[in-house]
Amino acid sequence: MMKTMLFSVFLLAFSALISAQKLKKDEVVGFWKLKESGSYENKIRVKKDFDNCLLMRNYTLRDDGFAIYNYIEGSTGNCLPSEPRLSFWKIVDNRIQFYIGKDTIIEELMVTLNRKDNTMTFSSYIPVPVKDTDPKLEKVLNMIHYDVLEKQY
């Protein structure tokens, strides 16, 4: 009985490893423009309403390991670009880490590639869920956000 259970656990873990999406540097290098953004509520995607200014947000992931993130605020006709965020990036398993210096990760995101429509989805990476005595704060801190980015050519 114990051998059967151990084998089942091994088989489940092995199948998860086989089916996990492998990120390749050449698939994520490029200029990626925000297409959609939102969060998950009760495991359902809830899309944010974005106007043309906010949809100008973009990432440039360069082959040399540099990343540029352009964050735009405002509303149509009054777009306010922020200072571009320059960092380094690297692939770690199925995530991208944006970092500065040797040990300072500024953002880490789960990545899902959709090769059919040349989009990439960034989702919040929360390795250990936050526990708090305030359930509302705990819910906010553990909320998974997503960004769908479209590769531009």
Side-chain angles (χ1 to χ4, degrees):
M1 178 69 163
M2 183 65 148
K3 286 183 183 179
T4 305
M5 189 180 340
L6 285 174
F7 180 73
S8 298
V9 169
F10 170 77
L11 191 58
L12 182 63
F14 183 73
S15 67
L17 284 174
I18 296 299
S19 66
Q21 188 176 44
K22 298 285 185 191
L23 293 178
K24 296 177 187 153
K25 187 176 182 178
D26 64 326
E27 291 180 305
V28 296
V29 166
F31 180 74
W32 297 86
K33 187 175 174 210
L34 184 64
K35 181 178 180 180
E36 177 183 319
S37 187
S39 60
Y40 290 94
E41 294 180 20
N42 300 320
K43 299 183 181 182
I44 298 171
R45 252 189 195 189
V46 178
K47 183 179 171 182
K48 288 183 195 172
D49 288 329
F50 272 76
D51 64 18
N52 289 335
C53 288
L54 299 179
L55 288 172
M56 292 170 59
R57 294 177 184 176
N58 62 73
Y59 286 86
T60 302
L61 302 177
R62 295 180 8 180
D63 192 65
D64 61 3
F66 281 98
I68 303 166
Y69 174 55
N70 288 300
Y71 185 82
I72 312 294
E73 280 293 339
S75 57
T76 303
N78 188 23
C79 299
L80 302 168
S82 68
E83 185 73 27
R85 182 185 80 189
L86 179 63
S87 66
F88 299 102
W89 71 278
K90 66 182 174 183
I91 294 172
V92 178
D93 298 324
N94 60 341
R95 301 182 308 277
I96 290 182
Q97 287 181 348
F98 295 96
Y99 63 98
I100 53 174
K102 192 174 182 182
D103 300 319
T104 307
I105 297 171
I106 56 175
E107 188 174 27
E108 187 166 9
L109 300 163
M110 302 287 291
V111 178
T112 305
L113 290 172
N114 185 347
R115 293 170 180 94
K116 291 179 184 175
D117 67 358
N118 280 326
T119 61
M120 171 170 61
T121 302
F122 284 166
S123 300
S124 305
Y125 175 64
I126 303 172
V128 179
V130 176
K131 299 287 184 200
D132 195 89
T133 56
D134 181 351
K136 289 181 182 177
L137 177 61
E138 185 175 311
K139 181 180 178 181
V140 169
L141 294 174
N142 290 308
M143 185 174 286
I144 304 293
H145 296 273
Y146 75 89
D147 291 326
V148 177
L149 304 158
E150 187 172 39
K151 192 166 192 175
Q152 306 294 298
Y153 293 97

